[in-house]
Amino acid sequence: MLSKKKVFKEKEKENLSATYANRYFTKPISKTSIPADGIDGDVVYQLIHDELNMDGNPALNLASFVTTWMEPQAEKLIMETTNKNFVDQEEYPQTGKIQGRVVNMLAKLFHAPKSDEYIGTATIGSSEAIMLGLLAHKWTWRKKRKAAGKSTENPNIVIGADVHVVWEKFARYFDVEMRIIPMKEGHYTLSVDELKPQIDENTICVGAVMGTTFTGQLDPVQEINTLLEEIKIEKGWDIPIHVDGASGGFILPFLYPEFEWDFRLSHVRSINVSGHKYGLVYPGIGWLIMKDKTDLPEDLIFYVNYLGSEEATYTLNFSRGSSMVVAQYYNLLNLGINGYKQIMQNSLENAQYLGKKIEEMPNYHLTNTNIKLPILAFTIDSSAGYSVYDLSDKLRERGWIVPAYSLPPNAQEVKVLRIVIKENFSRDMADMLLNDIKTFSKELKTKKINLKRPQKTNNNGQINKHIC
Ligand SMILES: Cc1ncc(COP(=O)(O)O)c(C=O)c1O
């Protein structure tokens, strides 16, 4: 039989082995320098896990386009491949083959001309894919100019103000002049009638966004294509279109297979799509698909042999994870065309339902009542007595993440809230959200919130370009 003292000691030991009985729970942990001695794994896990509870709930994150739910089998494959560096093709040849299969599937989905060798690559996301696509067009333009003995000094891209900030990044990082066609109040996509004067012999590419970050609308890609066909006949300039299908690339082919926005159009030479948006894969995976071999200049491809065999790469980063490439393949096989179609249809119907109900509310207006993609943006009249920012803050108190921002010039006076409907957003959730919007709008109206709050700007003084 143990003495009382001994029992107490044993109990104390037991307590101390419990994670929350550990002394680290009464001490701050190191945040800015590496601690001299490590901490027990269970304790560190719990500390970090608990700290992350301060983050928003991904399921209620209606701000992000990025996937917040995947099938358990996909998660299993992700864990099984997380220790494989994708670039080690010599060691992991199958993951490389899987990338090739996905490129083929997407090239066909986007109606690339039939080929034995479809051209494309996996990227970290649409940003890398856009940079690589535009870089290829810059190289092609330069080569043609050099061959014609003309100046290669002033390349430009022509885009609408509705493009994602990554287009501006490309222009700055890769030294290309950016010609932006501004938005107008009530018109939030590229205006084709303003396009022609911006184009000249130094235009390396025109951008068309299929599903803008700001309102989820589609740029008039067919009209842009027609204009570029006319310019080609008139001036002899063969200017490519890069389609930013970050969101729409995984929606349009399933919901509107007859709608021609892709390689069926003569000037569309490259398309990016985010696997981690409506491709339904966790972050970070994007895809760049070129129309054919001639669109990827050979001198942009790097051949390296440090990994045991000669490998061709066309990426900005060298090492990267394999998991999301594999997860994309899983989704394509698991869902098939019909599965994607059904998910996109559900999301669209929920977006349209939500949009209709919002439009019925006094002082609330959709920026676009013809919702084609499961994305909606709406304004609130100033006569309501509160702003979109007030409602966004209120919704956040309930856990909903719905961003409020002002649109780019010249529609900067228009302030919107945007909701991205993803596959795990059910009709019940839509009703709960609507209920909360109605409750808070009543509450805010009675409180008569002060509307003069400062606008949120990023460090370039531009307004909220970081929403994605
Ligand atoms: C239209 C558009 N293009 C590009 C991007 C950047 O994509 P990613 O986050 O995959 O790099 C986004 C992100 O939301 C987007 O909406």
Side-chain angles (χ1 to χ4, degrees):
M1 181 126 156
L2 290 171
S3 72
K4 251 188 171 172
K5 214 172 161 188
K6 259 199 159 155
V7 170
F8 180 75
K9 278 262 171 229
E10 285 298 311
K11 274 244 172 285
E12 195 179 39
K13 239 168 79 191
E14 221 174 84
N15 279 343
L16 284 180
S17 68
T19 304
Y20 282 118
N22 196 284
R23 67 196 165 90
Y24 287 104
F25 283 86
T26 52
K27 279 185 170 184
I29 46 166
S30 188
K31 296 190 183 62
T32 50
S33 39
I34 304 170
D37 296 314
I39 307 170
D40 177 72
D42 287 340
V43 174
V44 179
Y45 168 80
Q46 204 61 47
L47 283 165
I48 298 176
H49 171 90
D50 291 353
E51 180 173 350
L52 291 175
N53 285 332
M54 300 302 294
D55 277 345
N57 178 348
L60 302 183
N61 184 359
L62 308 179
S64 176
F65 288 84
V66 173
T67 302
T68 52
W69 182 87
M70 285 191 79
E71 301 276 349
Q73 297 93 323
E75 292 186 342
K76 201 169 164 207
L77 277 171
I78 288 170
M79 285 317 295
E80 285 170 13
T81 48
T82 196
N83 59 353
K84 291 185 181 177
N85 186 355
F86 185 75
V87 84
D88 296 348
Q89 301 273 303
E90 170 71 6
E91 289 83 349
Y92 311 124
Q94 278 322 113
T95 50
K97 282 188 184 150
I98 286 175
Q99 169 186 237
R101 291 178 200 165
V102 175
V103 166
N104 281 346
M105 289 178 182
L106 295 181
K108 286 180 189 160
L109 189 70
F110 300 159
H111 299 94
K114 206 170 161 27
S115 167
D116 296 335
E117 196 186 355
Y118 290 102
I119 306 295
T121 183
T123 58
I124 291 294
S126 275
S127 302
E128 188 188 3
I130 290 169
M131 302 249 181
L132 293 172
L134 299 181
L135 209 50
H137 296 311
K138 185 180 174 188
W139 250 244
T140 305
W141 167 83
R142 202 168 53 184
K143 203 170 162 192
K144 276 196 217 158
R145 299 278 297 173
K146 272 188 183 159
K150 292 183 177 163
S151 162
T152 57
E153 268 175 23
N154 300 306
N156 67 68
I157 46 170
V158 185
I159 49 182
D162 57 344
V163 294
H164 188 267
V165 67
V166 64
W167 285 77
E168 297 175 39
K169 274 194 186 178
F170 166 79
R172 201 173 301 170
Y173 295 173
F174 294 96
D175 207 13
V176 170
E177 185 198 342
M178 192 170 57
R179 298 187 177 169
I180 300 185
I181 295 163
M183 280 187 186
K184 300 178 210 152
E185 233 179 282
H187 188 90
Y188 309 125
T189 53
L190 188 149
S191 302
V192 183
D193 49 354
E194 291 180 43
L195 192 55
K196 198 171 177 183
Q198 299 296 333
I199 291 173
D200 61 25
E201 58 184 351
N202 291 319
T203 302
I204 63 165
C205 175
V206 174
V209 190
M210 292 291 109
T212 75
T213 321
F214 299 97
T215 62
Q217 287 170 270
L218 307 173
D219 272 341
V221 64
Q222 294 180 349
E223 287 87 331
I224 298 172
N225 193 68
T226 307
L227 176 70
L228 292 178
E229 279 176 345
E230 284 163 14
I231 289 177
K232 189 174 170 185
I233 294 167
E234 202 181 304
K235 309 264 189 191
W237 308 329
D238 191 3
I239 298 168
I241 299 173
H242 176 90
V243 172
D244 180 351
S247 299
F250 261 112
I251 305 174
L252 298 171
F254 304 112
L255 288 185
Y256 313 103
E258 304 307 323
F259 172 55
E260 298 192 355
W261 60 278
D262 52 14
F263 294 125
R264 283 168 287 184
L265 299 179
S266 55
H267 282 255
V268 173
R269 307 295 314 180
S270 52
I271 300 175
N272 69 277
V273 62
S274 293
H276 56 214
K277 295 191 173 95
Y278 287 92
L280 309 177
V281 179
Y282 290 141
I285 181 84
W287 299 92
L288 170 69
I289 309 291
M290 309 302 288
K291 189 167 201 164
D292 62 43
K293 252 179 157 170
T294 60
D295 293 303
L296 182 57
E298 181 60 28
D299 48 356
L300 276 177
I301 303 172
F302 278 79
Y303 293 90
V304 294
N305 61 5
Y306 354 103
L307 298 166
S309 71
E310 182 134 286
E311 281 172 29
T313 72
Y314 183 46
T315 52
L316 294 180
N317 216 68
F318 189 63
S319 295
R320 53 162 301 164
S322 301
S323 302
M324 300 310 155
V325 175
V326 173
Q328 184 76 76
Y329 187 48
Y330 168 86
N331 272 356
L332 291 165
L333 292 184
N334 175 240
L335 295 171
I337 300 276
N338 290 332
Y340 267 103
K341 193 174 181 167
Q342 196 52 54
I343 288 172
M344 298 310 148
Q345 191 61 41
N346 286 353
S347 302
L348 181 68
E349 280 175 27
N350 283 337
Q352 287 170 335
Y353 169 80
L354 201 57
K356 189 168 166 282
K357 295 282 177 189
I358 286 173
E359 187 70 18
E360 282 165 13
M361 289 177 61
N363 300 315
Y364 283 57
H365 309 284
L366 293 178
T367 52
N368 159 46
T369 47
N370 183 12
I371 298 173
K372 286 246 164 60
L373 306 185
I375 301 159
L376 52 108
F378 58 97
T379 58
I380 304 176
D381 291 337
S382 57
S383 58
Y386 56 90
S387 71
V388 287
Y389 301 105
D390 300 317
L391 183 60
S392 175
D393 288 349
K394 271 283 166 198
L395 288 169
R396 189 68 199 247
E397 286 172 21
R398 273 278 285 165
W400 300 112
I401 305 172
V402 181
Y405 49 91
S406 48
L407 295 181
N410 294 331
Q412 63 271 41
E413 295 310 317
V414 182
K415 318 275 191 284
V416 300
L417 285 148
R418 185 197 61 205
I419 297 174
V420 177
I421 303 296
K422 296 189 280 284
E423 65 171 321
N424 54 335
F425 187 83
S426 63
R427 183 61 60 98
D428 276 350
M429 286 181 81
D431 282 329
M432 282 189 271
L433 175 65
L434 275 167
N435 215 22
D436 286 340
I437 292 177
K438 284 180 187 161
T439 309
F440 291 137
S441 61
K442 271 193 208 133
E443 197 182 310
L444 287 166
K445 204 170 173 68
T446 45
K447 276 193 185 155
K448 296 237 184 306
I449 294 274
N450 179 11
L451 285 174
K452 282 189 191 139
R453 59 162 63 213
Q455 270 185 349
K456 293 176 187 168
T457 57
N458 66 17
N459 57 6
N460 295 324
Q462 294 162 321
I463 300 161
N464 288 327
K465 272 273 186 165
H466 51 275
I467 31 131
C468 71

